[in-house]
């Protein structure tokens, strides 16, 4: 999924195989320098987690592809063997983020792909560089990260409105964001310069070569679509089939993405409220109330938490507006979370207990251990800020917050301000080439969901249009991503494409 970190949206060169290089140009990496990487042997062994049939290995890639003879890093990979005998090859998968673990994602194989696909492909996931088991980037301690996530609450006055911060509030936001980047400089000075998605795509091509697949078959969700788009652009001749589900628009910078994402969350919020109002236990209203009434009730509740924080049955963290808002935001990724959020809102609005909302926010940030976080937050910011240039003036983020507030009054300003760390990210770490069109690649499937919260449907339309061979499949529904989300029409088209390379008519919609 395209996790948002207080708003930041989100989400190579095997040169010993035929067709090396970037598109039709000369390869960007030296053949002699990379042969050590593409000639590795994957030593599959038992895994420390997951199903018993899973196999795990580690392979090496250059930290810096411009200096492949220097430092190496390890990439952790997990494979679930195909369940049938007529195996096409490997299907690489990524769950998104940035910061999501592809290594752990494979454990959920029955939910990721259909039984038909599992029969024909070995399912392979890896932790991208900087994530989980693959040289994880760490910037802040758990306590410091708690302060960073709650920084917005200290930057606002009165009702917690982020759309119009005072100069003092903007200064506090700037201090927090600069502090995060400086912590990365201190704790991961070289890694922070080399975690961008262009390098993840290179790492994935090394893995493709090591798996023995002449061409890549790949399923990427949310930010995982960005990895796939980079791969198609850099290695178009090595594309067999790419499914890019819940697309990120690679033509926008991080601030633009944050503002655009506000529209997706607003659409999803209204769908959640509309559903809630049909139920007898909805804390936002009941029969006869409009969606606007329900949204207004939610806004009033969140405003009250800025002045009087909720009680916390977990630990000593203050559950202010920033944390309550994050808990509600979590619900909008999937309909399966709606019931739990209704419970959290009921506890909070009627009893002043914010524990469930806090737990939901923790789930979104991978804070599974009460004393620590996974490193997904650091990876999310580092990758997002490395993937495209962002404005360098704080005032640009203030203007974007006001604009986003018009599209999504509750979540928009927070999303825009969350991109602020990118203003201070080292310029030498930022990828700044042109659009990703994948010229020369085989047909690429982009799946978009009409009421997707984290990756608005317009992004799927944009990516399908930018990719020279892209075609769009539409799921009319709620929640984030479209494949394996209960729509038999979408599932059939994805399966037929992955297995038999069947290409439906562009713009094919499923109701």
């Amino acid at each position: 999924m395209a996790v948002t970190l207080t708003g930041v949206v989100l989400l190579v060169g095997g040169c010993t195989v035929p067709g090396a290089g970037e598109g039709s140009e000369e390869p960007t990496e030296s053949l002699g320098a990379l042969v050590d990487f593409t000639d590795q042997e994957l030593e599959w062994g038992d895994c420390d987690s997951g199903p018993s049939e899973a196999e795990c290995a580690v392979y090496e890639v250059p930290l810096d592809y411009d200096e492949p003879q220097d430092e190496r890093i390890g990439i952790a990979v997990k494979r679930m063997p195909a369940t049938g005998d007529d195996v096409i090859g490997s299907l690489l998968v990524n769950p998104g983020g940035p910061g999501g673990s592809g290594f752990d994602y494979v454990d959920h194989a029955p939910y990721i792909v259909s039984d038909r696909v599992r029969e024909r492909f070995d399912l392979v996931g890896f932790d991208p560089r900087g994530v989980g088991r693959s040289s994880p980037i760490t910037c802040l301690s758990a306590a410091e990260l708690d302060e960073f996530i709650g920084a917005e609450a200290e930057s606002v006055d009165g009702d917690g409105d982020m759309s119009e911060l005072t100069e003092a509030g903007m200064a506090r936001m700037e201090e927090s964001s600069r502090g995060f980047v400086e912590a990365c400089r201190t704790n991961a000075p070289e890694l922070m310069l080399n975690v961008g998605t262009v390098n993840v795509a290179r790492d994935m091509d090394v893995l493709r070569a090591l798996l023995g697949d002449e061409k890549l078959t790949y399923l990427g969700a949310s930010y995982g679509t960005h990895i796939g788009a980079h791969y198609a652009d850099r290695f178009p001749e090595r594309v067999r089939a790419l499914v890019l589900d819940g697309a990120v628009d690679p033509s926008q910078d991080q601030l633009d993405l944050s503002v655009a994402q506000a529209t997706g969350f607003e659409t999803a919020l209204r769908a959640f409220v509309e559903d809630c109002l049909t139920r007898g236990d909805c804390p936002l209203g009941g029969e006869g109330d409009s969606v606007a009434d329900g949204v207004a009730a939610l806004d009033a509740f969140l405003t009250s938490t800025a002045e009087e924080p909720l009680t916390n049955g977990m630990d000593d963290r203050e559950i202010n507006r920033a944390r309550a808002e994050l808990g509600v935001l979590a619900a909008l990724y999937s309909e399966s979370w709606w019931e739990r959020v209704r419970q959290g809102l009921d506890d909070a609005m009627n009893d002043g207990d914010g524990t469930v909302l806090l737990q939901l926010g923790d789930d979104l940030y991978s804070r599974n251990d009460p004393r620590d976080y996974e490193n997904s937050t650091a990876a999310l910011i580092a990758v997002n800020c490395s993937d495209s240039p962002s404005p360098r003036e704080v005032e640009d983020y203030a203007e974007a917050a006001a604009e986003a507030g018009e599209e999504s009054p509750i979540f928009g300003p927070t999303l825009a301000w969350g991109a602020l760390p990118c203003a201070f990210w080292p310029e030498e770490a930022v990828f700044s080439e042109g659009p990703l069109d994948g010229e020369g690649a085989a047909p690429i499937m982009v799946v978009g969901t009409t009421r997707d919260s984290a990756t608005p449907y317009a992004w799927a339309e944009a990516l399908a249009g930018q990719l020279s061979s892209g075609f769009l499949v539409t799921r009319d529904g709620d929640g984030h991503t479209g494949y394996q989300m209960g729509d038999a029409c979408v599932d059939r088209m994805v399966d037929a494409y992955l297995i038999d390379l069947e290409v439906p008519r562009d713009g094919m919609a499923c109701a």
Side-chain angles (χ1 to χ4, degrees):
M1 65 181 177
V3 176
T4 53
L5 171 66
T6 54
V8 179
V9 181
L10 53 161
L11 143 193
V12 198
C15 293
T16 61
V17 295
E22 182 176 359
S24 59
E25 300 176 2
E26 291 299 313
T28 57
E29 296 88 18
S30 163
L31 292 172
L34 287 183
V35 69
D36 289 344
F37 299 99
T38 56
D39 275 356
Q40 297 174 78
E41 293 287 338
L42 287 172
E43 298 182 1
W44 297 105
D46 293 338
C47 303
D48 60 7
S49 65
S52 59
E53 62 268 35
E55 305 169 318
C56 290
V58 175
Y59 67 102
E60 293 185 332
V61 295
L63 172 64
D64 182 350
Y65 275 89
D66 290 335
E67 302 291 342
Q69 73 282 357
D70 290 347
E71 185 177 349
R72 298 179 172 207
I73 57 176
I75 305 296
V77 57
K78 181 182 287 187
R79 177 172 67 181
M80 289 284 287
T83 58
D85 297 325
D86 187 13
V87 180
I88 295 172
S90 301
L91 171 61
L92 273 64
V93 295
N94 181 275
S101 171
F103 185 96
D104 292 335
Y105 192 46
V106 171
D107 295 347
H108 308 287
Y111 305 99
I112 298 173
V113 297
S114 70
D115 290 342
R116 287 185 61 212
V117 171
R118 290 187 69 205
E119 288 178 4
R120 304 298 303 278
F121 292 95
D122 295 331
L123 202 65
V124 179
F126 67 98
D127 280 354
R129 57 172 57 210
V131 174
R133 297 168 178 82
S134 297
S135 300
I137 184 169
T138 301
C139 299
L140 301 176
S141 68
E144 291 169 335
L145 191 53
D146 274 333
E147 292 181 7
F148 177 72
I149 292 173
E152 291 174 354
E154 301 175 2
S155 303
V156 295
D157 299 313
D159 63 4
D161 184 6
M162 293 289 293
S163 62
E164 295 184 4
L165 294 185
T166 64
E167 289 188 9
M170 291 171 59
R172 284 191 289 269
M173 288 295 293
E174 179 177 351
E175 179 183 13
S176 175
S177 295
R178 283 187 182 275
F180 180 91
V181 176
E182 288 306 311
C184 295
R185 289 184 187 273
T186 298
N187 296 315
E190 296 301 320
L191 186 58
M192 73 180 297
L193 301 179
N194 292 285
V195 294
T197 302
V198 64
N199 283 327
V200 177
R202 289 161 160 162
D203 297 343
M204 189 161 67
D205 194 59
V206 171
L207 178 57
R208 174 203 56 78
L210 298 180
L211 291 168
D213 292 327
E214 182 180 352
K215 295 188 176 184
L216 178 72
T217 306
Y218 172 76
L219 169 62
S222 196
Y223 160 74
T225 67
H226 202 46
I227 299 174
H230 270 281
Y231 187 92
D233 196 63
R234 193 166 192 86
F235 306 108
E237 74 287 351
R238 300 183 198 170
V239 170
R240 177 186 174 273
L242 307 183
V243 176
L244 309 182
D245 186 5
V248 175
D249 181 356
S251 70
Q252 300 188 47
D253 67 29
Q254 293 309 313
L255 183 55
D256 289 339
L257 286 171
S258 296
V259 173
Q261 195 180 41
T263 63
F265 278 110
E266 182 68 16
T267 298
L269 172 64
R270 290 183 172 275
F272 164 72
V273 171
E274 182 177 17
D275 176 81
C276 183
L277 293 174
T278 66
R279 303 174 184 274
D281 60 349
C282 179
L284 300 177
E287 186 177 355
D289 289 323
S290 66
V291 171
D293 293 332
V295 172
L298 176 62
D299 191 22
F301 158 68
L302 292 172
T303 297
S304 72
T305 63
E307 300 173 353
E308 185 175 349
L310 302 168
T311 60
N312 180 352
M314 288 176 57
D315 49 43
D316 61 357
R317 285 177 290 168
E318 181 179 84
I319 305 180
N320 48 36
R321 174 167 181 154
R323 293 197 181 281
E325 186 178 303
L326 190 61
V328 177
L329 188 77
L332 305 183
Y333 280 96
S334 172
E335 286 181 85
S336 65
W337 286 29
W338 287 6
E339 181 178 358
R340 192 174 173 208
V341 176
R342 288 197 304 272
Q343 176 195 337
L345 286 172
D346 185 68
D347 291 348
M349 297 175 74
N350 293 317
D351 301 322
D353 183 356
T355 304
V356 172
L357 293 179
L358 182 64
Q359 290 171 335
L360 284 162
D362 283 352
D363 289 346
L364 193 61
Y365 279 87
S366 300
R367 194 183 194 271
N368 301 322
D369 185 321
R371 298 159 299 178
D372 204 357
Y373 290 84
E374 295 177 9
N375 89 304
S376 57
T377 298
L380 184 148
I381 294 180
V383 173
N384 280 337
C385 294
S386 297
D387 274 358
S388 63
S390 295
R392 293 282 165 172
E393 300 298 328
V394 176
E395 289 74 14
D396 290 328
Y397 295 80
E399 293 176 4
E403 178 185 346
E406 295 177 0
E407 297 289 342
S408 176
I410 293 178
F411 299 119
T414 302
L415 292 168
W417 277 114
L420 186 58
C422 296
F424 314 112
W425 203 252
E427 291 188 11
E428 64 269 29
V430 179
F431 178 81
S432 58
E433 294 184 16
L436 306 178
D437 57 22
E439 182 70 41
I444 297 171
M445 176 181 284
V446 180
V447 181
T449 297
T450 54
R451 293 180 296 281
D452 193 315
S453 55
T455 52
Y457 179 68
W459 291 357
E461 293 179 304
L463 179 60
Q466 291 165 40
L467 291 170
S468 296
S469 59
F471 63 94
L472 180 64
V473 171
T474 299
R475 169 179 167 254
D476 183 11
D478 297 293
H480 185 33
T481 72
Y483 180 51
Q484 290 290 95
M485 292 290 286
D487 189 314
C489 171
V490 171
D491 293 351
R492 282 195 301 269
M493 282 194 284
V494 173
D495 288 354
Y497 170 68
L498 287 174
I499 295 170
D500 299 316
L501 301 179
E502 292 185 10
V503 178
R505 176 174 54 83
D506 187 16
M508 181 68 182
C510 293

